[in-house]
Amino acid sequence: MKRKVIAALLLGMAITVTGCSGNTTKDTDTTTEAASDASSETTADSSSESEAATEAAERPDYKALDYVKLGDYKGLEVTLASTDVTDEEVEQQVETNLNNNDKSEEIKEGTVENGDVANIDYEGKLNGKAFDGGTAKGYDLTIGSGSFIDGFEDGLIGKKIGDTVDLNLTFPEDYSSTDLAGKEVVFTVKINSVKRAPKLTDELAAEISNNEYKTVEAYNNYIKEDLEKTKKENQHNQELNDLVALAYQNATVNDYPQEMIDYQLEQVTSYYKSYADQYGMEYADFLKQQVGMTEEEFVKQMTETVKQSLGQEMVLRAIAETEGVEISDEKFQEKASEYAAQMGSTDVDAFISQYGKSTIMASILQDEAVKILEKNAVVKNADGTLAETTAETETETASK
């Protein structure tokens, strides 16, 4: 089981800083993410083993209980999301697969429907003036994907192909660009054309599955099982995230180790400076254009973001300290090998050298703390009945 806190820590910090200040897509779709949970595995997987393994900067050590007063962290109650898969979800995934396999058909008349791939031109205006990053031509947008801000895709459903429509929308309060966060804007959108997936047939099912599923029924059953598997994985991740969030809410962080704040700020700064170098830009210009901030504003925001991220780490570490968790050399090597495999590396020694023993140890301690939370949690199903947790299942399996 991959715990997202691990991959994020191994890249320095579990935070997201998004750029492209005028981008209409949601924050997770931007191209300048820092070491976030969403991007950490991708970044790690794309790293070539042929790259020179440089010694990682030593991560500062600290005692979390010097800064944290724990609240309740045992007996925390969480409710699991349902893993039921609806017929509509199966149908939508089938449509996506057909589109991805170039089986969609171009529609030039009619109205936009959910699941369509709409080719659009759009221009976003704030107070009547076009803003940076809010304009594009010939953009293919999958309706219902949730990749644009709320209201954009829904606002196109039912509109005629060829029409131009105005969408009065509001950017989220927590949007990455402070210039747009919470602001009311108008997007003028022209619907050029639409691609729509055809109705699935036995022939198409066989074709897009390389003859593994030769009927519509067999292919739909496969899709349903795959969606259920994904939902169960997401359900467990959400369970862990909720438990960590509750433990953090119940704790009091009295202060932060300054050496850790300085260390993580340096990690983020180096990350963005490397991006600026790749674009051949001065660091200050890069921040202004891609993040919409001055260096001073960036450091201020990053300091708060670092504290928020570090706070959760400190609470987890305090739990590990309270429970007397000790990591033997054998355990360290075992977990380092596990992390290396998760992040696409076969050379464990090079992996340890690249990320540093202190960072890997911090990840292990957090991992162990999350296990403690899960083992002692009260986990309920959506209907209120007690659920069998993953931790219980793993314990039963190990005892056999």
Side-chain angles (χ1 to χ4, degrees):
M1 171 61 196
K2 292 184 180 180
R3 288 180 171 84
K4 288 185 179 295
V5 68
I6 302 307
L9 251 183
L10 292 176
L11 285 180
M13 58 193 307
I15 65 169
T16 304
V17 184
T18 53
C20 301
S21 60
N23 203 323
T24 60
T25 58
K26 291 188 176 180
D27 290 353
T28 52
D29 293 326
T30 57
T31 58
T32 56
E33 288 188 334
S36 66
D37 289 344
S39 65
S40 56
E41 291 178 16
T42 302
T43 304
D45 291 341
S46 65
S47 298
S48 170
E49 289 190 40
S50 63
E51 293 178 353
T54 57
E55 290 286 342
E58 192 66 21
R59 194 175 197 269
D61 196 15
Y62 64 94
K63 185 178 180 182
L65 287 172
D66 288 343
Y67 304 91
V68 174
K69 180 180 180 181
L70 289 174
D72 292 335
Y73 64 88
K74 292 183 178 180
L76 299 178
E77 185 174 316
V78 294
T79 300
L80 301 177
S82 172
T83 59
D84 293 340
V85 175
T86 66
D87 292 341
E88 289 75 14
E89 288 173 322
V90 172
E91 182 180 347
Q92 186 173 31
Q93 186 60 53
V94 169
E95 289 178 352
T96 298
N97 291 355
L98 288 167
N99 285 330
N100 290 341
N101 282 274
D102 295 325
K103 300 302 178 185
S104 56
E105 303 166 345
E106 187 168 354
I107 308 295
K108 295 186 177 180
E109 294 182 352
T111 58
V112 177
E113 298 179 6
N114 193 38
D116 287 346
V117 177
N119 182 274
I120 59 175
D121 302 335
Y122 64 87
E123 181 181 45
K125 291 184 178 181
L126 173 64
N127 298 324
K129 183 179 179 181
F131 53 83
D132 291 341
T135 299
K137 290 186 178 295
Y139 187 94
D140 286 331
L141 172 63
T142 300
I143 306 301
S145 64
S147 54
F148 274 43
I149 63 172
D150 291 345
F152 193 106
E153 294 164 37
D154 288 344
L156 299 180
I157 295 176
K159 299 298 188 294
K160 290 183 179 180
I161 299 169
D163 280 1
T164 298
V165 299
D166 286 336
L167 304 176
N168 297 292
L169 305 176
T170 303
F171 273 91
E173 292 289 345
D174 59 351
Y175 193 68
S176 58
S177 168
T178 55
D179 292 336
L180 295 173
K183 299 295 178 60
E184 295 181 356
V185 296
V186 178
F187 283 100
T188 300
V189 185
K190 181 183 178 184
I191 306 168
N192 300 318
S193 62
V194 159
K195 289 183 179 179
R196 184 171 300 159
K199 184 178 180 180
L200 185 67
T201 63
D202 291 345
E203 291 76 13
L204 279 173
E207 184 177 350
I208 64 176
S209 68
N210 294 319
N211 286 318
E212 188 171 355
Y213 306 100
K214 298 183 179 180
T215 66
V216 171
E217 181 181 6
Y219 189 77
N220 282 341
N221 287 339
Y222 151 70
I223 292 297
K224 185 173 184 178
E225 291 174 2
D226 192 58
L227 289 174
E228 287 174 344
K229 179 182 177 182
T230 299
K231 281 196 172 187
K232 286 178 181 178
E233 291 175 351
N234 292 339
Q235 180 194 65
H236 187 219
N237 285 335
Q238 189 59 54
E239 174 196 345
L240 300 182
N241 290 337
D242 289 348
L243 287 172
V244 172
L246 285 171
Y248 178 69
Q249 290 171 13
N250 292 342
T252 301
V253 179
N254 297 309
D255 201 359
Y256 301 87
Q258 186 60 47
E259 62 271 22
M260 275 301 302
I261 293 177
D262 294 341
Y263 170 82
Q264 294 199 343
L265 281 175
E266 176 60 28
Q267 297 291 305
V268 176
T269 301
S270 296
Y271 182 90
Y272 273 82
K273 284 184 176 179
S274 68
Y275 256 104
D277 289 341
Q278 290 179 34
Y279 282 93
M281 299 176 65
E282 293 293 330
Y283 178 56
D285 294 336
F286 180 85
L287 288 181
K288 190 62 178 176
Q289 180 175 321
Q290 297 294 332
V291 187
M293 301 181 195
T294 64
E295 289 188 64
E296 183 179 353
E297 290 170 338
F298 182 73
V299 170
K300 182 179 180 180
Q301 178 172 311
M302 280 302 91
T303 299
E304 294 307 310
T305 306
V306 162
K307 286 181 178 180
Q308 182 179 1
S309 173
L310 184 57
Q312 288 197 355
E313 174 193 327
M314 291 164 62
V315 169
L316 289 175
R317 189 157 179 161
I319 291 172
E321 291 174 4
T322 300
E323 295 290 326
V325 173
E326 295 183 358
I327 308 300
S328 65
D329 291 341
E330 182 180 359
K331 178 75 169 180
F332 178 87
Q333 287 295 327
E334 175 188 332
K335 295 298 291 185
S337 297
E338 178 185 324
Y339 297 161
Q342 289 177 3
M343 301 181 74
S345 175
T346 57
D347 189 334
V348 180
D349 289 338
F351 177 82
I352 294 173
S353 177
Q354 180 180 358
Y355 290 103
K357 291 188 67 173
S358 56
T359 296
I360 295 172
M361 181 62 77
S363 290
I364 296 173
L365 289 172
Q366 288 197 63
D367 202 6
E368 294 302 305
V370 171
K371 288 180 182 178
I372 292 168
L373 291 177
E374 187 177 20
K375 180 180 179 181
N376 293 280
V378 178
V379 184
K380 294 184 177 181
N381 294 309
D383 61 4
T385 59
L386 287 176
E388 181 180 37
T389 67
T390 301
E392 291 172 339
T393 302
E394 291 175 348
T395 301
E396 291 175 3
T397 302
S399 64
K400 290 181 180 179

